[in-house]
Amino acid sequence: MVRIYHKLTSNDALLLLLIALPGILHFLIFRYVPLLGNVIAFQNYNLFAGMADSPWVGLKHFQNMFTYAEFYRILRNTMLLSLYSIIFGFPAPLILALLLNEIRQKWFQRPVQTLLYLPHFLSWVIVGGLFVNLLSIDGFLNTILGSLGLANRDFLTIPEYFRSILVSIGIWKEIGWGMIIYLAALSGINPSLYEAAMMDGAGRFRQMWSITLPSLLPAITVLFLLRIGHVLDANVEQVLILLNPLVRDVGEVIDTYVYRVGLLGAQFSLTTAIGIFKSLVGLILVVGLNALSRKTTGESIY
Amino acid sequence: MPAYRSDRWFSFINGTFFIVLCLTMISPLIHLAAVSLSEARYANAKLVYFWPKGWNTEVYSMILGMDNLWRAMGVSVYITVLGTLISLVLTSTIAYALSRPSMPGRKIVLRGIVVTFIFSAPLIPNYLLVRSLGMENTLWALMIPGALSAFYVIIMKTFFQGISSEMFDAAKMDGCSEWGIYARVAIPMSLPVIATIALFHAVGQWNSYFNALLYIRSKDLLPLQVLLRNLVMEEQASNMASSAEVSLVMTPEMLKAGITLFATLPILIVYPFLQKYFVKGASLGSLKE
């Protein structure tokens, strides 16, 4: 024992391996073993028989998935939610950072930032509670609308509003946080660029267009690529907390479906097939757009 | 800077915009506080806006007497502190080893980690793994599987590599083993990045409820967020508050508001102290490999 210990501690390479070992094992067990666990999508997985004894069924679950009307509904919901949150949610922190950067008074900027970051630190349960309180039939918003003589509505149960509300709340919670990276990039821009531009007679918007935005382009590209890779991952903690039976048709996404039908309903194999489909779409998009971006802008995430 | 008239208008509108935006961030919380502290008849008549009408702290004495709320808070503190420690040990050790040129198999391990960044297994296989490891219905299920993330490992590894290699060489000359360099040089010199990652992990751990929903069955092990979800979203509070004896002094809305604020309080208390770390940390996140 003592000799082994001595050998281990005197050899740098071995010792480094030893130091890294817990982390490596963690990655193997908790990231790679579940990837192998994907095989249950090709089985009729039975919780009691286990992976080894469950019968193999080939691609049956994938075929079922594509003939299944419910699948298109949740796929559509997921894509629409994601699309809205990319169109409206992705540029929002960038615009906010640009606007905040135009405020030169530090005494004003600091407290504003503090308040804008705050919602990021509240859990989705709390944020959900806040907005249910705000939007329900006897909630605060209806109190105000009522005093203006407008009709009372239970906003969170109206299918036409649900996606917009979901996306807006997401933006509300993360907009301040999202702008931090842009603010950091903004503070790294060489001020002499602006001085030179002003000498040449460039106004505020011309400076923004010709100096600020190009300087932010690397950050924008990387953040966008990372976002695209998660195009089919709805924020399950958010959707689950705001979803209710009245809006299930428009609000249920892949992740909440897998939780409800797969886990609570014990449809392990079918929902794993759906999960694999989701991961593959994300992977293809990231790899494809990454290659495209490397060719066009020279920026890439790997 | 020349002060054109249009510039001054822009600044004015811009400033106003930010004031309004800040109000939307803070006003829901203020409204909840006002509702929870009002008298039931005003709250019921929807007459409370941002200042309590009447004065009534009954809601809070009820909350302070809720044993399950205190227990859940204890669970949350426990998993946050221990979970963050586990995460820091795992992250810093593997990141340190990967930052050293003499680490064998460095490239392969690094690639293996980056792969997990873009490709991850769906929910069900993860659930089955945790189950088969016997972690279901234990607090380990909330702390161990999420303890390491590729993102934090790469940030920390980049930081270690930024420390001047002369520091490491000098320690080596003085007879330090790699273990000693890790503990006595690398860790003390990277406290800012460690604090940042600790903060991010702790916030995530404190706020998450989905994992507990998946893995925790026993009522005694429910973290605060899950209990809060049951109380605030699933009408349990309404049942409590509408029991005859309390309905005269509080409405279900008042109780929900109070519970929500109570659960927000820990974050609001530590928040100002954390700010200087997380701003620095979030920009660290923009580092590339």
Side-chain angles (χ1 to χ4, degrees):
Chain A
M1 256 335 260
V2 175
R3 199 193 286 163
I4 295 174
Y5 176 80
H6 190 73
K7 190 170 178 195
L8 277 176
T9 48
S10 61
N11 182 325
D12 279 354
L14 272 179
L15 190 58
L16 279 172
L17 264 186
L18 198 69
I19 291 174
L21 195 62
I24 293 174
L25 284 178
H26 188 281
F27 271 107
L28 284 178
I29 295 173
F30 290 103
R31 304 286 160 169
Y32 281 87
V33 171
L35 282 182
L36 298 178
N38 274 334
V39 297
I40 67 165
F42 305 94
Q43 296 181 324
N44 270 340
Y45 181 76
N46 178 319
L47 201 54
F48 301 102
M51 228 172 276
D53 295 321
S54 293
W56 294 89
V57 294
L59 292 174
K60 187 186 115 188
H61 293 297
F62 289 91
Q63 284 161 354
N64 281 352
M65 178 175 99
F66 287 115
T67 55
Y68 195 43
E70 186 121 64
F71 172 71
Y72 291 100
R73 194 170 59 83
I74 57 172
L75 183 63
R76 190 182 123 92
N77 289 345
T78 315
M79 305 258 272
L80 280 178
L81 256 185
S82 204
L83 198 68
Y84 291 161
S85 81
I86 288 176
I87 294 174
F88 298 104
F90 185 77
L94 172 64
I95 294 167
L96 202 66
L98 291 175
L99 289 177
L100 190 64
N101 195 47
E102 292 298 323
I103 291 174
R104 318 266 180 219
Q105 293 84 354
K106 281 273 177 267
W107 59 266
F108 185 72
Q109 221 181 30
R110 285 278 154 75
V112 164
Q113 279 178 347
T114 304
L115 283 178
L116 293 181
Y117 301 149
L118 179 65
H120 170 81
F121 288 85
L122 306 179
S123 72
W124 272 114
V125 178
I126 287 174
V127 172
L130 287 179
F131 278 91
V132 168
N133 178 286
L134 193 73
L135 299 172
S136 67
I137 185 83
D138 44 23
F140 190 45
L141 190 60
N142 273 314
T143 311
I144 296 172
L145 287 178
S147 66
L148 296 173
L150 294 170
N152 276 11
R153 284 167 174 206
D154 194 356
F155 292 100
L156 278 167
T157 62
I158 300 174
E160 289 81 17
Y161 294 171
F162 189 70
R163 289 194 195 107
S164 318
I165 292 177
L166 216 62
V167 171
S168 311
I169 296 177
I171 294 177
W172 177 85
K173 187 173 187 290
E174 301 298 343
I175 190 169
W177 189 249
M179 79 184 179
I180 290 187
I181 290 177
Y182 296 121
L183 286 179
L186 281 171
S187 66
I189 300 175
N190 188 344
S192 62
L193 288 175
Y194 288 107
E195 283 159 27
M198 257 188 280
M199 291 295 213
D200 293 343
R204 204 192 273 262
F205 293 99
R206 182 69 214 216
Q207 291 173 30
M208 191 182 275
W209 184 253
S210 304
I211 300 172
T212 314
L213 275 179
S215 313
L216 292 181
L217 199 60
I220 296 172
T221 316
V222 168
L223 290 175
F224 188 71
L225 286 173
L226 291 175
R227 177 67 190 80
I228 286 293
H230 295 282
V231 71
L232 292 189
D233 300 339
N235 183 337
V236 64
E237 295 215 325
Q238 178 192 5
V239 181
L240 203 61
I241 205 94
L242 294 167
L243 196 62
N244 55 67
L246 294 172
V247 292
R248 182 151 280 149
D249 276 349
V250 297
E252 182 136 70
V253 293
I254 293 178
D255 288 336
T256 55
Y257 183 81
V258 170
Y259 171 66
R260 187 171 64 90
V261 173
L263 203 77
L264 301 182
Q267 298 246 27
F268 294 114
S269 288
L270 173 70
T271 49
T272 301
I274 297 180
I276 292 176
F277 172 80
K278 192 188 87 160
S279 307
L280 279 177
V281 171
L283 185 71
I284 291 167
L285 282 174
V286 165
V287 172
L289 286 176
N290 195 54
L292 185 71
S293 156
R294 191 163 26 197
K295 270 200 186 133
T296 52
T297 67
E299 291 295 330
S300 64
I301 44 177
Y302 55 87
Chain B
M1 173 140 297
Y4 298 116
R5 181 178 294 236
S6 68
D7 267 15
R8 254 187 283 155
W9 271 108
F10 174 79
S11 296
F12 176 74
I13 293 169
N14 198 17
T16 316
F17 166 75
F18 274 102
I19 291 173
V20 171
L21 197 63
C22 285
L23 287 178
T24 71
M25 300 287 164
I26 195 77
S27 55
L29 288 172
I30 296 177
H31 173 65
L32 283 193
V35 168
S36 70
L37 289 167
S38 295
E39 279 173 29
R41 55 197 167 110
Y42 295 115
N44 236 343
K46 314 285 167 210
L47 290 172
V48 183
Y49 295 95
F50 297 109
W51 195 255
K53 286 220 166 96
W55 184 258
N56 170 18
T57 54
E58 213 46 47
V59 165
Y60 291 95
S61 29
M62 179 159 178
I63 289 172
L64 293 181
M66 288 169 70
D67 287 342
N68 54 347
L69 205 57
W70 286 109
R71 191 183 304 120
M73 194 165 280
V75 169
S76 280
V77 169
Y78 177 82
I79 58 170
T80 303
V81 172
L82 187 60
T84 305
L85 279 176
I86 294 172
S87 165
L88 284 180
V89 169
L90 286 173
T91 310
S92 64
T93 46
I94 191 171
Y96 170 75
L98 288 174
S99 74
R100 303 291 286 150
S102 44
M103 162 82 187
R106 191 162 165 254
K107 275 250 163 70
I108 298 167
V109 176
L110 204 56
R111 264 194 210 141
I113 290 175
V114 173
V115 166
T116 71
F117 196 35
I118 16 185
F119 198 58
S120 59
L123 173 71
I124 302 287
N126 279 308
Y127 169 77
L128 294 176
L129 171 71
V130 168
R131 201 186 137 93
S132 69
L133 289 174
M135 286 183 178
E136 200 181 22
N137 207 19
T138 71
L139 293 180
W140 298 116
L142 309 183
M143 297 187 281
I144 303 287
L148 262 184
S149 97
F151 193 52
Y152 294 156
V153 170
I154 286 168
I155 288 179
M156 210 183 262
K157 173 199 145 257
T158 312
F159 196 91
F160 285 141
Q161 278 172 336
I163 300 174
S164 107
S165 61
E166 280 122 45
M167 293 292 302
F168 292 133
D169 295 340
K172 191 145 238 185
M173 294 290 231
D174 292 345
C176 256
S177 68
E178 286 291 342
W179 187 248
I181 303 178
Y182 162 78
R184 293 198 203 154
V185 182
I187 292 295
M189 289 198 66
S190 49
L191 286 181
V193 74
I194 289 175
T196 308
I197 288 175
L199 171 66
F200 285 0
H201 190 87
V203 170
Q205 184 94 55
W206 176 268
N207 279 343
S208 87
Y209 75 90
F210 189 59
N211 279 339
L213 218 53
L214 294 179
Y215 299 125
I216 303 296
R217 306 271 166 270
S218 140
K219 278 196 167 145
D220 294 344
L221 297 179
L222 286 186
L224 184 61
Q225 305 297 341
V226 181
L227 185 72
L228 194 64
R229 176 176 177 271
N230 298 344
L231 288 175
V232 175
M233 310 300 287
E234 309 211 313
E235 306 297 318
Q236 286 182 18
S238 313
N239 299 336
M240 282 168 63
S242 54
S243 67
E245 46 180 323
V246 287
S247 60
L248 286 176
V249 288
M250 72 179 81
T251 66
E253 275 65 41
M254 290 170 63
L255 187 59
K256 285 182 185 180
I259 293 174
T260 308
L261 275 183
F262 180 74
T264 316
L265 220 53
I267 293 274
L268 290 183
I269 290 171
V270 294
Y271 182 66
F273 300 101
L274 301 177
Q275 224 197 342
K276 64 174 177 188
Y277 289 108
F278 69 68
V279 174
K280 203 185 291 169
S283 18
L284 266 180
S286 60
L287 283 179
K288 278 211 288 174
E289 197 192 329

